[in-house]
Amino acid sequence: MRRRLRDAGRYDDTVVVEQPWGVPDSFEELWEWLDDFEGALVTADRSKALELDEGERARVWAAKAWNAFRALDSYTQAAREGFNGGFYQHCTSDRPGAVNWPLKQFAPAESDTTMNRWGAERIFAVPEDVDPSGRKEMQAHLKLGSKGSTSPRIYFLDDTQGITGRVIVGYIGPHLTNTKTN
């Protein structure tokens, strides 16, 4: 709503609630800050992420997305320093300075049923160095919300040991189709 009012030249009609410094209050703002995360290579469709700004809980989701990127970036940095384990292990470690993500909000894979029926929804853009087709399946995802039909997700591919040395984020947006949404 704030974005619509601003776009209509009615910015003075919006209510601004201050977020703590360093936390984006929208996905539009988050998108501008993604370059701050050297460990994440974002190939996601910006327009899908910006759809989330229309949601009632957009500010909460944007803040959670910021923390998700902090955790992914922390994991990538740890991998560069020789950490032996994946994102799950990173989130269970107690290494000083590590930014972790709650395990209840992390899914390392989708169910076989979901992949058999809607797996095509989980194929996202990657650099051609990673896959010559420029596309790759991504099942691992972070849950930004669990209420309502939007329940945003961030899908990623762990390429920390691959050609990019980063986590590739292929999707930021509303919940994709699965057995509970269909």
Side-chain angles (χ1 to χ4, degrees):
M1 180 61 93
R2 284 193 324 266
R3 187 172 54 140
R4 287 182 184 164
L5 287 169
R6 186 180 64 234
D7 291 348
R10 297 178 48 197
Y11 187 77
D12 292 340
D13 293 338
T14 64
V15 175
V16 177
V17 178
E18 294 296 321
Q19 284 279 70
W21 182 86
V23 177
D25 70 353
S26 69
F27 282 86
E28 184 173 7
E29 187 174 11
L30 172 70
W31 204 267
E32 294 171 9
W33 296 357
L34 290 179
D35 288 341
D36 291 349
F37 298 106
E38 294 176 11
L41 172 61
V42 180
T43 61
D45 178 351
R46 180 178 184 267
S47 65
K48 277 292 186 196
L50 296 186
E51 282 179 27
L52 298 172
D53 280 336
E54 303 298 323
E56 183 179 305
R57 298 184 47 83
R59 297 184 67 172
V60 172
W61 297 333
K64 285 186 81 172
W66 178 255
N67 287 329
F69 273 94
R70 290 179 59 233
L72 291 170
D73 198 56
S74 176
Y75 164 62
T76 301
Q77 183 61 38
R80 289 177 180 164
E81 293 170 358
F83 176 72
N84 191 16
F87 185 71
Y88 180 92
Q89 290 78 17
H90 168 76
C91 291
T92 59
S93 74
D94 57 357
R95 290 180 351 277
V99 178
N100 297 328
W101 182 256
L103 291 178
K104 288 184 178 182
Q105 296 171 10
F106 170 57
E110 296 281 12
S111 71
D112 289 341
T113 302
T114 294
M115 290 309 294
N116 288 336
R117 295 180 72 184
W118 304 286
E121 289 184 27
R122 289 148 177 88
I123 298 174
F124 304 110
V126 295
E128 289 183 5
D129 291 354
V130 173
D131 191 289
S133 71
R135 317 267 304 151
K136 194 115 173 115
E137 180 181 280
M138 298 184 193
Q139 293 189 45
H141 59 279
L142 305 178
K143 304 170 185 180
L144 303 181
S146 60
K147 296 178 183 172
S149 60
T150 304
S151 297
R153 302 293 190 251
I154 294 175
Y155 278 79
F156 68 94
L157 176 70
D158 184 348
D159 193 45
T160 55
Q161 302 304 311
I163 193 84
T164 68
R166 300 161 84 181
V167 172
I168 302 169
V169 176
Y171 181 81
I172 306 167
H175 199 293
L176 299 173
T177 310
N178 69 13
T179 57
K180 295 178 184 174
T181 62
N182 196 14

